[in-house]
Amino acid sequence: MLTRDDVLAAQERIRGHVRRTPVIAVDPATSNLWLKCEFLQLAGVFKTRGAVNRILTGLETGTLDPAIGVVAASGGNAGLAHAYAAARVGVAATVFVPQTAPAVKVARLREYGATVRQVGQEYAEAYLAAVDFAGTAGALFCHAYDQPEIAAGAGTIGEEILTDVPDVDTIVVAVGGGGLFAGIAAAAEGRARVVAVEPERIPTLHSALQAGQPVDVAVSGVAADSLGARRIGSIAFDVARRTRPVSVLVDDEAILAARTALWQDHRMAVEHGAAAAYAGLTSNAYRPAPDERVAVVICGANTDPGTLA
């Protein structure tokens, strides 16, 4: 069971290795809306927090051989986080990504010194190849979202929000495999509600809540490179059953519009998955009460800025 204690332990472990990102008021004079600027995180993505926590835990427990290193599967962002974290602490990293992974993310993986292997068309295929590699090479397997250290590291975002805006009522997060949601919901449990926003074309958590268990979903749409898990992780599902988030869906048009708005209104250059949480508000999929204090996590910047024009 993932709890706030796990998040607090992660916060202490990763201190000094990750960036404490700002929470900004959309309108300091009148607004009850804040944006958590996690797209400014090292490696451009929230997943750096969980990656550092997983790798440091592996070194502490002796389950990670620095010479063999770590292996991760990713649509791009988890790989970037683990490649960056591994380079920071001096261990090797091998990252499996689908052949459809954005070129900008593949190039950055190599810049961080990772060995990149492109396999299949979806994250699930890269995942199976990474698991096989972990078994044969002895590398420490780092899941993109469904490991306690990964989710707890992501949960430190929630701790920062609740420190900076202690009377926040609601935290809005995007959901793919659910590591970010699980960590923040565990951190905020009993202190703030969580709104879980998913693309209509990849409803992992929404479908699991309807079915009463994690189920496979089809993967497609503009946010598939970062939110393209085939099913919600078991940790996220357990946390969801315990904390009962508000689950909403947004279509691709809403995500595109929210991404454009973040750039035009706030000069935030973010990827589609990061814009999904904001789309939950701009599309009215979630409508806060007039006096509700809301923080939205803007979680990743690994995108081609040319597509913002």
Side-chain angles (χ1 to χ4, degrees):
M1 179 182 294
L2 186 74
T3 69
R4 187 186 176 203
D5 286 342
D6 299 306
V7 176
L8 293 173
Q11 188 172 48
E12 185 62 29
R13 185 177 293 112
I14 68 178
R15 194 184 310 275
H17 292 280
V18 301
R19 183 175 287 153
R20 196 187 195 286
T21 55
V23 180
I24 65 169
V26 170
D27 182 344
T30 62
S31 177
N32 282 337
L33 176 63
W34 286 262
L35 303 179
K36 174 62 169 172
C37 300
E38 189 62 14
F39 67 96
L40 297 175
Q41 188 53 256
L42 299 169
V45 65
F46 78 91
K47 290 176 180 286
T48 301
R49 297 171 183 258
V52 171
N53 193 41
R54 172 70 171 159
I55 290 172
L56 291 180
T57 300
L59 291 172
E60 290 173 8
T61 59
T63 56
L64 168 57
D65 183 337
I68 300 174
V70 300
V71 60
S74 173
N77 279 335
L80 287 169
H82 283 93
Y84 173 84
R88 184 179 182 91
V89 302
V91 304
T94 302
V95 180
F96 287 79
V97 300
Q99 293 174 0
T100 53
V104 64
K105 295 184 180 182
V106 174
R108 290 194 67 199
L109 283 169
R110 294 193 171 109
E111 289 173 8
Y112 288 142
T115 299
V116 182
R117 303 193 181 188
Q118 292 187 262
V119 176
Q121 299 299 307
E122 293 183 9
Y123 165 77
E125 296 170 277
Y127 171 82
L128 292 175
V131 170
D132 183 66
F133 180 87
T136 57
L140 179 70
F141 181 70
C142 297
H143 202 284
Y145 51 85
D146 201 24
Q147 285 174 330
E149 301 94 336
I150 299 296
T156 60
I157 296 169
E159 286 295 324
E160 292 176 6
I161 292 172
L162 286 158
T163 297
D164 291 348
V165 191
D167 53 353
V168 72
D169 298 302
T170 303
I171 301 174
V172 183
V173 301
V175 180
L180 177 64
F181 157 75
I184 288 179
E189 187 171 7
R191 300 192 290 166
R193 78 170 58 83
V194 173
V195 175
V197 184
E198 300 173 87
E200 284 183 350
R201 298 170 73 177
I202 327 173
T204 55
L205 178 59
H206 198 81
S207 296
L209 291 172
Q210 288 185 325
Q213 63 183 3
V215 294
D216 285 351
V217 301
V219 175
S220 63
V222 296
D225 65 308
S226 56
L227 302 181
R230 188 175 289 177
R231 67 163 57 195
I232 198 73
S234 59
I235 294 172
F237 184 67
D238 287 344
V239 172
R241 287 197 299 181
R242 189 175 84 228
T243 62
R244 299 182 179 275
V246 178
S247 174
V248 302
L249 302 178
V250 292
D251 62 26
D252 278 2
E253 289 71 22
I255 294 171
L256 290 167
R259 181 172 179 261
T260 298
L262 285 167
W263 172 245
Q264 292 183 344
D265 298 342
H266 307 293
R267 278 304 184 257
M268 295 181 181
V270 306
E271 57 196 89
H272 295 97
Y278 194 53
L281 296 180
T282 56
S283 70
N284 291 320
Y286 179 74
R287 298 186 182 189
D291 59 348
E292 188 173 343
R293 297 165 67 84
V294 179
V296 183
V297 180
I298 311 298
C299 60
N302 293 307
T303 190
D304 179 358
T307 63
L308 292 166

